[in-house]
Amino acid sequence: MSEKSRLDEIREELEKLDINPTFFARKEIRELPNVLSADEKIVYLVEGRNKPSNHHILLVATDRRLIFIDKEFLYGLKVEDFSYDKVTSIQYETEFMLASIDVYISGNIVEIDGVGKYEAELFCEKVRDFMSRPKEYFQAKSEPTVLDQLEQLGRLKENGVITEEEFIEQKKKLLEKL
């Protein structure tokens, strides 16, 4: 029996959280193994449309950070992540069947529309829970180990994000830290 891939682990994690991403989120879901650290856990995830670009994005809350993932065919992958202590406020507003989420981060506002009402409420609750935790909670956990960094580097090479030469160079730098 073959070892489970990180993507399979993530899909199982989403299933346990009762999160069923739509067809439109498949590109972003496939990028999660490259974005998350090996031991980083998804707390909740919502998908919607980013205002004003109107791109389909994933908004991922993990046990370490808040991540915005936008994978588009023409310009590639855009990932923005923020530690919970940088999030000053998160709110949702419900409409007829859907909701919008506004995240205030370091003086900027990120708006996501077209989120399910129930999912928006649950996502905001989970993020607020992490926002209320002491800063030390994240500092102790959020520094990826050299092993985590090597694993992520290997995934980047496997997926063609970096070349063999770049991989060898970065791997050497990481091993020097040990």
Side-chain angles (χ1 to χ4, degrees):
M1 188 164 140
S2 67
E3 194 176 315
K4 263 194 274 188
S5 74
R6 180 70 169 122
L7 183 57
D8 290 335
E9 290 172 7
I10 289 168
R11 286 185 173 136
E12 283 180 12
E13 225 174 299
L14 294 177
E15 203 172 298
K16 284 179 190 167
L17 292 168
D18 198 26
I19 299 171
N20 302 300
T22 67
F23 170 80
F24 301 106
R26 72 192 182 290
K27 299 180 308 290
E28 288 85 4
I29 296 291
R30 277 194 225 113
E31 290 298 330
L32 284 173
N34 301 322
V35 174
L36 301 175
S37 300
D39 61 343
E40 191 170 11
K41 298 285 179 226
I42 295 172
V43 175
Y44 208 67
L45 171 152
V46 292
E47 57 183 292
R49 297 203 102 26
N50 187 12
K51 283 170 87 179
S53 72
N54 208 29
H55 290 178
H56 188 274
I57 68 164
L58 282 185
L59 186 50
V60 184
T62 75
D63 57 351
R64 299 180 187 182
R65 58 196 168 138
L66 192 59
I67 310 167
F68 299 87
I69 303 173
D70 183 1
K71 172 82 173 167
E72 290 293 326
F73 177 72
L74 292 176
Y75 68 83
L77 178 65
K78 181 178 179 184
V79 176
E80 288 185 272
D81 67 328
F82 301 93
S83 61
Y84 287 107
D85 64 336
K86 300 281 186 252
V87 180
T88 52
S89 173
I90 185 166
Q91 59 192 39
Y92 67 95
E93 189 176 312
T94 59
E95 296 154 13
F96 178 63
M97 299 214 18
L98 298 172
S100 61
I101 297 176
D102 292 342
V103 185
Y104 295 82
I105 303 168
S106 304
N108 295 314
I109 303 172
V110 180
E111 299 174 82
I112 295 97
D113 283 340
V115 179
K117 284 167 92 167
Y118 170 77
E119 291 82 3
E121 183 178 350
L122 193 56
F123 185 85
C124 289
E125 277 178 30
K126 292 188 181 283
V127 170
R128 283 187 194 110
D129 175 49
F130 278 94
M131 287 170 60
S132 67
R133 294 181 185 193
K135 195 174 182 176
E136 298 77 38
Y137 174 85
F138 300 107
Q139 287 174 336
K141 270 185 106 173
S142 64
E143 268 307 306
T145 66
V146 172
L147 181 60
D148 287 339
Q149 293 172 351
L150 285 169
E151 285 179 10
Q152 192 165 17
L153 195 60
R155 288 194 300 270
L156 291 172
K157 185 186 91 170
E158 265 177 36
N159 292 314
V161 176
I162 61 173
T163 65
E164 180 72 28
E165 293 77 27
E166 291 169 319
F167 171 77
I168 291 168
E169 182 183 322
Q170 293 301 316
K171 180 180 169 186
K172 183 180 174 190
K173 286 179 185 176
L174 286 171
L175 291 175
E176 287 171 0
K177 290 181 180 180
L178 290 176

